[in-house]
Amino acid sequence: MNLLQMKQITKTYNANKVLDQVSLSIKEGEIHGLVGENGAGKSTLMNILFGMPVIHSTGGFEGEILINGEPFTPHSPKAAMDMGIGMVHQEFMLIPGFTVTENVKLNREKTKPSFLSRIFGRRLEQLDKRTMAEDTKIALDKLNMTIDEYARVAGLPVGHMQFIEIAREVDKDTLKLLILDEPTAVLTESESTQFLAVARRLADMGISILFISHRLDEIKQITDSITILRDGELVKTVDTNQIEIVDIARLMVGREIKIAREDHKDQKVAAEPILELKGFKVNMPGEKVRGIDLQVRKGEILGIGGLAGHGKLGIANGIMGLYEASGTIIKDNNELPLNNPRKALAASIAFLSEDRRGVGLLLDDSIGFNIVFSSLELQDKFTTHVGPIRLIDNDAVKEHAEKMIEALDIRCTSYRQKVRYLSGGNQQKVCVARALTLEPDLLLVSEPTRGIDIGAKKLVLDTLVNLNREFNMTIIITSSELGELRQIADRIAIIYNGQVSGILPYDASDEEFGLLMTGKKLGELNKAVN
Amino acid sequence: MKNIMAKIGLARLIIVLFLLFLLVMAVILEVPLPALFSNILVRFGMNAILVLAMVPAVQSGIGLNFNLPLGIICGLLGALVSIEFNFTGFTGLLVAMLVSLPLAIVSGYGYGHMLNRIKGQEMTVGTYVGFSIVSLMSIFWQILPFTSTALIWAYGGSGLRVTISLDAYLSHVLNDFLAFEIAGTVIPTGLLLFFAFTATLVWLFGKSKRGLAMQVAGSNEKFALANGINVDKERIMGTILSTVLAAVGIIVYSQAFGFLQLYTAPLYAAIPAVAAILIGGASLQRAKIIHVVIGTMLFQSLLVVALPIINIMAEGNLAEVVRAIVSNGIILYALTRTGGEAV
């Protein structure tokens, strides 16, 4: 008997399809894993099921949801809760100043009549703290947790907070389905182990669990069946014991690659490295780098891949000094000072950030100003001397910007147009233009095609290849899309748990990439295939 | 049409219409227009530099500088020193500014450091820092060792007066410089020229490498960081410039007004300046010289024209009420706009 069935769910945000005909079903007492890369549509699917307002304010969704065979339209989180669906969010929704009991029982307090309530009605009844505490204790016991139910939440370890969140859901008698959105992301290893045991226990009590995680080993370990999403489409639903972790990873990232690679004819890859990282660590929240040794050859395009949260994005940010880094960076045989963006830029390294609109652009300034600013600030170009001061030379800006607009085919009304009003692809080209204006010999590119439509993707990638071939610019491209890396990179380093788990040529097999992404050694390949 | 409307902005449109209405009323009620226009020009010139002080503050990212009293007090100190040593005329003006300059730079530097510790709260904190400094200085005005009889209380022989007449010193130095009359309207040439000069300096700074770095730090901190700009330093720069302009501004204001006002007078000095630049079309993130010119012109015209008309039509102090409603209303309106886009 299926507890939950979601059929043919389709959702569009501003004409952008984020879910396309996705179906999902969960049996009673089952732990079902939901996996997919960032942007695959997991969160949207859960928001639909939980009736989040963001879904309805953007035009609702198409498709059908059945609970115990009955049609159900979740129009608000309250409706979903009434149907017995509970959700534990990635960010904790606890009130720090309240006790454990008060948090667990929030808005469902047990009360007893008081003097005031007899006059003014039920809302002024007194809290029955003892019963509340007893209920909380029962809920916590179900989770095998021993926390003082009168303790304040503030100051408890992060792991405990996660359990309190779950206790709150478990305390609801009606709970049938519990959605856990990346519950172990913030837990330590031992807490995670304990957590997984608890999840199993709950399932044995008959509560179905929908488990969303990036940690595939956990998914493999705990779930009964798995649904894999990719780019808003259902890739596969499969029983857990019928699939290997490697294959899950491959299905998550491996789209059919039409390797439209051009020949390497003009490429000049030198033997000596342009950049070397030794014991490189970066403290970037959510993308921690835990000690990397990597050599980048002059003239190559190096791809950096890996699953989300494993630290691939931290590398470029760390090199540029945007997040606290330690270890050694050697650029052109000189040691590069850490945590100093100015020195990194001066060492002829340019960076296209994954956070295009935040780090990469001045949205309310003109295209022209965006293109020239880095060069103006760091290299004193585009300025004229008037007496003792350097003024911006608007003629030079115009000339250069128009040249760039033509060269990169930036679609705009004029170089004076504000960047805010450009499409994602054209904004990315403005970022590229700004980096090129610096004339770097090493270009770091992070997620260059995120949020860009397909046509523009190809243009951006082609531009990168051209830069490499024509100007012999070394490029390090970091991307969640393996296909993209395999299309333009020469070698691809896969990052797992903040470290390089291996470096593969672009034409290595999907299985090999899958293995490295899940932290296995290539030697295990045969075992996995068999 | 819709585009033009959007460009002008609803708030500005209402104010312009109200101003036109008042001007028509002035004609009907036979209020002498040339006198009104003279008045508008003087009020514009005397307030514009205080409004200009908002520009570097907004550009550097600390928002509207509600701590204008800090700079004003530096300016007042400069003027007091100048009078104490009996400088008059242009020399007096110059000495006042030269003395206030280092004071404003030092205090602006300190205040800038403080603002870097309370990012996101600059406007609220600024308001209260302003209040505190004005109160603190109320004590100091009593005990500072000035001796000029023009400055201290006639009786008792110590402590500075609440209002100090500038008649024998700086009064109307700029206003009367090259002033001339057209059809009954007096043009305060020196005053307007001095504003033009200051505004040009600020404009030039805004086009300079240093100024651009400051503006980038103000508009996108992460972007600035990624381009190797020290955001905190740029914010301090903006704070210093704003404080210096406030100091110069109050000296210009006082010479036109004819008096130095001490003690609690600077308490609410920031409010009309903030209101004026917002009326001019600035936002919490973006301010330009043109906003200063338009805003000060509109705001001061409104006050100047409204005063005689309301005095004819109603009893009492209604003009002051209108001023309070317009200035506080526009600030409130600006602060409620999400993201702080232009009013």
Side-chain angles (χ1 to χ4, degrees), chain B residues 134-152:
Chain B
V134 169
S135 307
L136 189 69
M137 285 312 288
S138 292
I139 300 172
F140 278 102
W141 298 136
Q142 285 285 347
I143 57 178
L144 288 177
F146 285 101
T147 54
S148 165
T149 48
L151 298 176
I152 56 175

Side-chain angles (χ1 to χ4, degrees), chain A residues 275-302:
Chain A
L275 184 84
E276 211 176 336
L277 303 177
K278 287 181 190 162
F280 189 58
K281 295 180 184 165
V282 184
N283 189 10
M284 177 175 175
E287 289 280 344
K288 250 192 182 127
V289 182
R290 298 169 213 268
I292 274 185
D293 298 289
L294 192 64
Q295 284 202 347
V296 185
R297 295 177 201 141
K298 194 173 270 179
E300 75 170 335
I301 302 183
L302 175 73

Side-chain angles (χ1 to χ4, degrees), chain B residues 49 56 76:
Chain B
I49 297 177
L76 290 175

Side-chain angles (χ1 to χ4, degrees), chain B residues 155-238:
Chain B
Y155 50 87
S158 76
L160 293 162
R161 301 173 190 216
V162 174
T163 312
I164 292 159
S165 167
L166 297 177
D167 275 348
Y169 302 94
L170 310 172
S171 191
H172 288 205
V173 173
L174 287 173
N175 289 46
D176 295 345
F177 179 70
L178 296 179
F180 58 94
E181 196 180 308
I182 302 176
T185 305
V186 181
I187 313 288
T189 318
L191 189 63
L192 297 180
L193 276 179
F194 189 77
F195 167 68
F197 171 70
T198 330
T200 309
L201 286 187
V202 174
W203 180 80
L204 274 178
F205 179 75
K207 296 281 160 209
S208 74
K209 201 187 136 173
R210 292 284 294 116
L212 287 169
M214 186 185 87
Q215 288 169 50
V216 166
S219 61
N220 184 341
E221 201 169 314
K222 286 195 218 156
F223 181 93
L225 192 72
N227 282 290
I229 295 172
N230 184 337
V231 174
D232 285 0
K233 223 174 83 190
E234 300 301 333
R235 285 163 54 97
I236 291 175
M237 184 76 188

Side-chain angles (χ1 to χ4, degrees), chain A residues 10-40:
Chain A
T10 299
K11 168 72 192 160
T12 48
Y13 282 122
N14 317 318
N16 190 4
K17 218 173 233 182
V18 293
L19 279 181
D20 191 7
Q21 308 262 349
V22 173
S23 299
L24 175 84
S25 60
I26 301 176
K27 295 191 207 60
E28 216 162 288
E30 173 192 51
I31 302 184
H32 190 90
L34 182 61
V35 296
E37 272 290 76
N38 286 346

Side-chain angles (χ1 to χ4, degrees), chain B:
Chain B
M1 184 63 199
K2 209 171 174 187
N3 244 330
I4 299 170
M5 268 289 296
K7 203 149 195 178
I8 297 174
L10 183 67
R12 223 164 351 277
L13 193 71
I14 294 172
I15 288 168
V16 170
L17 289 179
F18 186 55
L19 185 59
L20 286 177
F21 165 77
L22 285 175
L23 280 172
V24 172
M25 289 298 291
V27 174
I28 295 171
L29 293 170
E30 295 176 351
V31 178
L33 286 184
L36 277 187
F37 290 138
S38 307
N39 234 329
I40 289 175
L41 289 176
V42 170
R43 304 268 320 209
F44 170 79
M46 67 198 268
N47 282 288
I49 297 177
L50 287 172
V51 181
L52 192 63
M54 294 297 158
V55 173
V58 170
Q59 285 182 343
S60 68
I62 65 165
L64 296 159
N65 186 4
F66 276 89
N67 191 17
L68 218 52
L70 180 68
I72 289 180
I73 281 166
C74 298
L76 290 175
L77 278 169
L80 289 171
V81 170
S82 160
I83 295 169
E84 173 75 17
F85 291 102
N86 264 318
F87 291 109
T88 56
F90 269 106
T91 328
L93 191 75
L94 201 67
V95 170
M97 287 180 184
L98 285 180
V99 172
S100 65
L101 215 61
L103 294 176
I105 291 173
V106 171
S107 57
Y109 179 80
Y111 179 53
H113 263 288
M114 181 183 157
L115 286 184
N116 282 338
R117 287 159 188 251
I118 47 132
K119 281 183 190 166
Q121 313 274 333
E122 291 91 346
M123 293 196 279
T124 323
V125 171
T127 308
Y128 288 99
V129 171
F131 286 175
S132 314
I133 292 200
V134 169
S135 307
L136 189 69
M137 285 312 288
S138 292
I139 300 172
F140 278 102
W141 298 136
Q142 285 285 347
I143 57 178
L144 288 177
F146 285 101
T147 54
S148 165
T149 48
L151 298 176
I152 56 175
W153 291 110
Y155 50 87
S158 76
L160 293 162
R161 301 173 190 216
V162 174
T163 312
I164 292 159
S165 167
L166 297 177
D167 275 348
Y169 302 94
L170 310 172
S171 191
H172 288 205
V173 173
L174 287 173
N175 289 46
D176 295 345
F177 179 70
L178 296 179
F180 58 94
E181 196 180 308
I182 302 176
T185 305
V186 181
I187 313 288
T189 318
L191 189 63
L192 297 180
L193 276 179
F194 189 77
F195 167 68
F197 171 70
T198 330
T200 309
L201 286 187
V202 174
W203 180 80
L204 274 178
F205 179 75
K207 296 281 160 209
S208 74
K209 201 187 136 173
R210 292 284 294 116
L212 287 169
M214 186 185 87
Q215 288 169 50
V216 166
S219 61
N220 184 341
E221 201 169 314
K222 286 195 218 156
F223 181 93
L225 192 72
N227 282 290
I229 295 172
N230 184 337
V231 174
D232 285 0
K233 223 174 83 190
E234 300 301 333
R235 285 163 54 97
I236 291 175
M237 184 76 188
T239 318
I240 291 177
L241 283 177
S242 180
T243 310
V244 166
L245 283 170
V248 173
I250 197 66
I251 295 172
V252 172
Y253 179 96
S254 301
Q255 66 80 33
F257 189 53
F259 297 95
L260 284 184
Q261 296 169 292
L262 305 182
Y263 297 95
T264 55
L267 203 54
Y268 295 103
I271 307 257
V274 167
I277 197 160
L278 290 175
I279 290 174
S283 69
L284 301 184
Q285 277 91 34
R286 230 172 170 71
K288 296 179 179 174
I289 310 270
I290 187 74
H291 299 147
V292 174
V293 176
I294 295 176
T296 316
M297 205 63 196
L298 278 179
F299 187 63
Q300 295 300 333
S301 307
L302 201 63
L303 302 186
V304 170
V305 183
L307 185 74
I309 292 169
I310 292 172
N311 283 348
I312 292 171
M313 293 180 64
E315 297 275 315
N317 202 6
L318 258 183
E320 180 60 19
V321 174
V322 169
R323 190 192 68 79
I325 291 175
V326 171
S327 55
N328 291 307
I330 195 82
I331 292 172
L332 186 63
Y333 183 56
L335 295 182
T336 54
R337 304 295 298 259
T338 45
E341 70 258 51
V343 173

Side-chain angles (χ1 to χ4, degrees), chain A residues 322 341-342 345 355 357-362 364-365 369-370 373-374 376-378 380 390-392 434, chain B residues 203-210 212-213 215-216 219-220 222-230 234 286:
Chain A
L322 300 182
R342 218 179 173 91
L345 288 159
D355 182 5
R357 295 167 68 89
V359 179
L361 293 167
L362 294 164
D364 286 316
D365 280 293
F369 188 65
N370 268 280
F373 182 74
S374 294
L376 181 152
E377 171 65 25
L378 294 151
D380 286 342
R390 267 178 196 282
L391 293 185
I392 182 168
R434 187 164 55 79
Chain B
W203 180 80
L204 274 178
F205 179 75
K207 296 281 160 209
S208 74
K209 201 187 136 173
R210 292 284 294 116
L212 287 169
Q215 288 169 50
V216 166
S219 61
N220 184 341
K222 286 195 218 156
F223 181 93
L225 192 72
N227 282 290
I229 295 172
N230 184 337
E234 300 301 333
R286 230 172 170 71

Side-chain angles (χ1 to χ4, degrees), chain A residues 36-251:
Chain A
E37 272 290 76
N38 286 346
K42 297 177 310 240
S43 301
T44 309
L45 193 63
M46 289 310 102
N47 285 341
I48 287 174
L49 179 60
F50 208 60
M52 295 304 269
V54 60
I55 299 298
H56 300 281
S57 62
T58 52
F61 65 97
E62 291 164 42
E64 198 183 359
I65 300 177
L66 301 176
I67 288 186
N68 282 331
E70 304 272 330
F72 164 62
T73 317
H75 45 77
S76 73
K78 177 89 172 53
M81 285 184 222
D82 289 344
M83 289 304 293
I85 302 173
M87 183 155 176
V88 175
H89 296 267
Q90 251 168 310
E91 296 91 31
F92 298 130
M93 306 210 173
L94 296 172
I95 305 176
F98 278 20
T99 64
V100 173
T101 301
E102 284 163 339
N103 269 293
V104 169
K105 290 302 235 179
L106 192 68
N107 219 10
R108 294 179 297 109
E109 291 87 352
K110 291 271 169 65
T111 55
K112 54 188 178 196
S114 72
F115 169 66
L116 281 176
S117 72
R118 289 197 183 98
I119 304 172
F120 295 109
R122 283 211 60 209
R123 291 198 63 88
L124 285 179
E125 282 187 350
Q126 241 180 359
L127 295 184
D128 183 356
K129 292 215 167 146
R130 188 184 300 173
T131 324
M132 282 167 61
E134 279 165 11
D135 283 358
T136 306
K137 188 133 191 68
I138 294 170
L140 288 170
D141 280 346
K142 281 187 194 167
L143 305 180
N144 266 350
M145 279 305 289
T146 43
I147 312 175
D148 175 10
E149 57 272 20
Y150 289 109
R152 273 178 208 287
V153 166
L156 285 181
V158 179
H160 286 193
M161 296 195 191
Q162 184 72 272
F163 287 103
I164 295 169
E165 288 254 344
I166 297 170
R168 179 160 69 199
E169 300 307 323
V170 170
D171 183 53
K172 297 171 185 166
D173 304 329
T174 53
L175 185 72
K176 284 186 260 176
L177 172 66
L178 183 61
I179 304 170
L180 301 174
D181 191 359
E182 300 235 16
T184 55
V186 291
L187 301 186
T188 65
E189 212 159 297
S190 64
E191 283 169 338
S192 294
T193 317
Q194 187 187 0
F195 181 84
L196 295 179
V198 164
R200 190 74 258 171
R201 208 174 135 93
L202 288 175
D204 292 341
M205 283 188 249
I207 296 169
S208 308
I209 293 177
L210 185 57
F211 192 86
I212 305 173
S213 179
H214 276 126
R215 298 193 186 171
L216 298 183
D217 45 341
E218 288 175 5
I219 292 276
K220 172 76 181 156
Q221 184 189 336
I222 184 175
T223 60
D224 300 310
S225 55
I226 301 173
T227 294
I228 303 168
L229 296 183
R230 184 173 66 213
D231 279 346
E233 288 175 35
L234 179 70
V235 180
K236 198 171 191 176
T237 300
V238 63
D239 284 345
T240 307
N241 51 25
Q242 313 231 317
I243 191 167
E244 291 301 318
I245 293 185
V246 178
D247 297 315
I248 303 175
R250 186 172 53 82
L251 289 171

